[in-house]
Amino acid sequence: MAHGSRGSGEHRVRRFARAFAADPVEALLYLPEEAAKRREHPVDYTVDEDWEAHLHELLGAPWPCPQADRAAELWAEVAAELRERGLAFGRHTYGHYSDADESLARAVRCTVLHRRAELVVETGVARGVITRFALDAMAAADRGRLWSVDLPHPFERELHTQTGAAVPDCLRHRWTYLEGSSRRRLPTLLRQLGQVDVFVHDSLHTARNTGFEMAAVAEVLAPGGVMLIDDISTHQAFAPWTRSPAADTLVCPHADRQGLFGVVRAETRVRAVRAESCRAA
Ligand SMILES: C[S@@+](CC[C@H](N)C(=O)[O-])C[C@H]1O[C@@H](n2cnc3c(N)ncnc32)[C@H](O)[C@@H]1O
């Protein structure tokens, strides 16, 4: 989940040169993200310790949730399957990125299922834990389609064969994988879809990229639609949404308490927040 930059200046230049040689367009799109990181600052959110009950309230779903056991079972299944295939699972095991947090995965499954979502978009796939949880919810509801926009790790190409490893063949008929950065792929996808019921951001967690994705999705978020945004504590992009009268928001702790994710639910169209969110980024 974290996008931290590691290594010496020389190492980073060499790494960038390799990424540029492999895909010049994506490498150049990444440069402003790196530059904008200097303007990022963490936000001291008030964390909602009762977030799961409040999420179900926002979704109009019963609490305690009758789906809780299935979510726990699915988490164990995914962990065991990845382990059996000799793949890593957890924090900072996909390069400097991490697999999904368990609380976020559960929140995504409940949101897709209880909202009976038809059109779901996510950014950032890696091994596909969130993808698996969203598709499992669609299988349970017998409805919905998922579009995933993902730039496979730009600096650690040996990880590319692991993309979507957690997603079994039997769930893939509802899934469209779009390779490329969200800058490059998301606007066209959103124009084609026209409306999104549920959006999950778990790609590049810079303020600039998170703000861009949220603003783009807000344009087409269905009334009552939900955005789940991972890793909001290290930058300011989520903060304007918490002040918006147009949306209900939750700030939720990761299961391992190492980070936060945010939830936005908008009763009506939320275009007003767009400019604010862009400025913050
Ligand atoms: C935190 S991981 C995603 C974890 C995943 N959601 C899961 O369920 O385990 C971030 C993913 O986003 C990809 N990524 C990085 N920059 C991106 C960008 N600009 N647009 C789309 N995907 C990006 C990374 O290569 C990686 O696959």
Side-chain angles (χ1 to χ4, degrees):
M1 284 158 275
H3 58 83
S5 49
R6 295 185 306 177
S8 67
E10 194 189 330
H11 169 75
R12 286 166 66 190
V13 170
R14 254 190 278 120
R15 217 177 51 155
F16 180 79
R18 274 199 305 274
F20 183 82
D23 192 335
V25 175
E26 291 296 4
L28 290 175
L29 282 173
Y30 180 70
L31 282 180
E33 299 295 341
E34 191 66 36
K37 275 199 257 177
R38 271 179 251 128
R39 296 193 297 277
E40 286 184 356
H41 57 82
V43 174
D44 194 14
Y45 291 109
T46 304
V47 178
D48 185 345
E49 297 297 341
D50 214 8
W51 67 269
E52 208 158 359
H54 292 145
L55 174 65
H56 282 74
E57 206 176 296
L58 284 185
L59 296 170
W63 182 258
C65 181
Q67 289 290 322
D69 287 350
R70 171 62 193 146
E73 193 181 278
L74 182 57
W75 184 260
E77 263 171 48
V78 169
E81 286 169 17
L82 291 175
R83 212 174 25 244
E84 262 167 41
R85 292 168 63 182
L87 300 177
F89 181 47
R91 274 207 179 267
H92 310 303
T93 61
Y94 185 81
H96 54 273
Y97 293 104
S98 304
D99 292 302
D101 170 74
E102 185 173 0
S103 293
L104 174 63
R106 203 163 63 233
V108 168
R109 187 175 184 280
C110 277
T111 303
V112 172
L113 183 56
H114 296 317
R115 208 181 170 278
R116 298 184 56 73
E118 195 58 58
L119 303 171
V120 180
V121 171
E122 72 167 337
T123 58
V125 172
R127 297 186 189 97
V129 179
I130 293 290
T131 312
R132 169 78 170 269
F133 272 66
L135 291 172
D136 185 80
M138 288 175 187
D142 195 18
R143 62 186 285 148
R145 276 205 70 85
L146 171 66
W147 286 261
S148 303
V149 175
D150 177 59
L151 179 67
H153 202 298
F155 302 124
E156 301 194 27
R157 303 182 67 80
E158 66 283 1
L159 290 168
H160 291 192
T161 54
Q162 299 184 27
T163 300
V167 187
D169 287 345
C170 62
L171 293 178
R172 289 186 178 225
H173 60 287
R174 294 181 188 276
W175 187 34
T176 304
Y177 176 86
L178 296 168
E179 184 174 319
S181 64
S182 53
R183 278 277 159 191
R184 206 170 172 186
R185 298 277 178 237
L186 196 57
T188 309
L189 171 65
L190 297 177
R191 246 192 327 274
Q192 284 166 354
L193 295 180
Q195 180 157 298
V196 168
D197 298 312
V198 175
F199 170 67
V200 186
H201 157 87
D202 196 9
S203 60
L204 180 65
H205 304 303
T206 56
R208 184 174 184 273
N209 189 55
T210 306
F212 158 73
E213 290 187 10
M214 292 186 78
V217 173
E219 290 281 323
V220 293
L221 193 66
V226 179
M227 297 196 269
L228 298 113
I229 310 297
D230 200 20
D231 267 337
I232 60 171
S233 58
T234 56
H235 62 71
Q236 65 275 25
F238 188 77
W241 292 87
T242 63
R243 298 189 289 271
S244 166
D248 291 312
T249 57
L250 300 172
V251 172
C252 319
H254 282 158
D256 65 4
R257 315 288 305 181
Q258 301 286 305
L260 301 174
F261 66 95
V263 177
V264 177
R265 183 184 176 278
E267 196 54 58
T268 53
R269 294 273 182 193
V270 284
R271 284 188 182 161
V273 185
R274 182 174 180 264
E276 226 189 325
S277 176
C278 279
R279 266 203 305 276

